Amino acid sequence: MSVRNQPDPAAVGTLLRHVLELLDGDVAAVYEEQGMAEYRPRFSPVVRALVAQGPLSVRDLAEAIGVTHSAASQTAAQMARAGLVTHTPDPLDARRRLVALTAEARSLLPRIEAEWEATAAAMAELDAELSMPLGELLAEVAQAVGRRPFRERVAAARRTA
């Protein structure tokens, strides 16, 4: 893509989505090349959390991977449709259901882990070309917006304009 076809840097939301599409799209293509067409990059944090902690409620899963309950629920539902997780009753609380890896997901773990490591190495290479590591910058942005939500910043800018 030429520089002329890049999103306007002032359109930050569009630019963020564009960068995410570029990165996630290429990682998804790698999974497809590896024979895992149903597997999505967004599944890896869930898989890693479930491997490390065992079955989790959606609330605990959301906390473990740092997303909203809604995002974790949607990802778990996509993974269930792909045959990678199940939802089973929590033996300690019948009102809750636990997300657990299926045997199919466990059989893919060596390939998932290898691709995770390759993706991390590729990200390190990309980071070396940037003025600061992308992950650090995004974490810094998330912290700043956590301190003062963007809607407050927009409202303040409107008042001063």
Side-chain angles (χ1 to χ4, degrees):
M1 178 178 283
S2 72
V3 174
R4 286 181 290 148
N5 293 335
Q6 296 294 324
D8 178 355
V12 175
T14 300
L15 188 55
L16 282 169
R17 280 186 292 280
H18 178 66
V19 169
L20 181 60
E21 288 169 5
L22 291 172
L23 297 176
D24 263 8
D26 282 349
V27 173
V30 169
Y31 283 122
E32 189 167 347
E33 290 166 5
Q34 297 297 317
M36 297 186 296
E38 298 269 337
Y39 194 86
R40 301 287 173 259
R42 70 185 295 177
F43 295 172
S44 288
V46 172
V47 169
R48 293 170 66 82
L50 295 176
V51 166
Q53 299 178 42
L56 295 169
S57 69
V58 172
R59 174 172 286 125
D60 292 339
L61 181 60
E63 185 176 314
I65 64 175
V67 299
T68 64
H69 182 279
S70 176
S73 179
Q74 290 173 7
T75 300
Q78 288 177 331
M79 293 178 74
R81 285 191 296 275
L84 300 172
V85 299
T86 59
H87 293 84
T88 59
D90 183 340
L92 303 176
D93 183 350
R95 296 168 296 172
R96 292 186 341 156
R97 298 184 57 77
L98 300 177
V99 179
L101 293 175
T102 63
E104 180 180 346
R106 291 193 177 283
S107 74
L108 295 174
L109 287 177
R111 290 194 293 175
I112 293 169
E113 187 61 34
E115 293 310 322
W116 180 274
E117 290 173 15
T119 300
M123 196 66 229
E125 179 187 323
L126 177 60
D127 282 344
E129 297 178 33
L130 306 176
S131 60
M132 76 180 294
L134 182 59
E136 287 180 25
L137 176 60
L138 293 174
E140 192 175 323
V141 170
Q143 290 168 357
V145 173
R147 287 189 301 272
R148 184 171 180 216
F150 199 63
R151 72 180 176 281
E152 288 179 16
R153 297 167 192 263
V154 171
R158 267 197 331 253
R159 286 191 297 272
T160 62

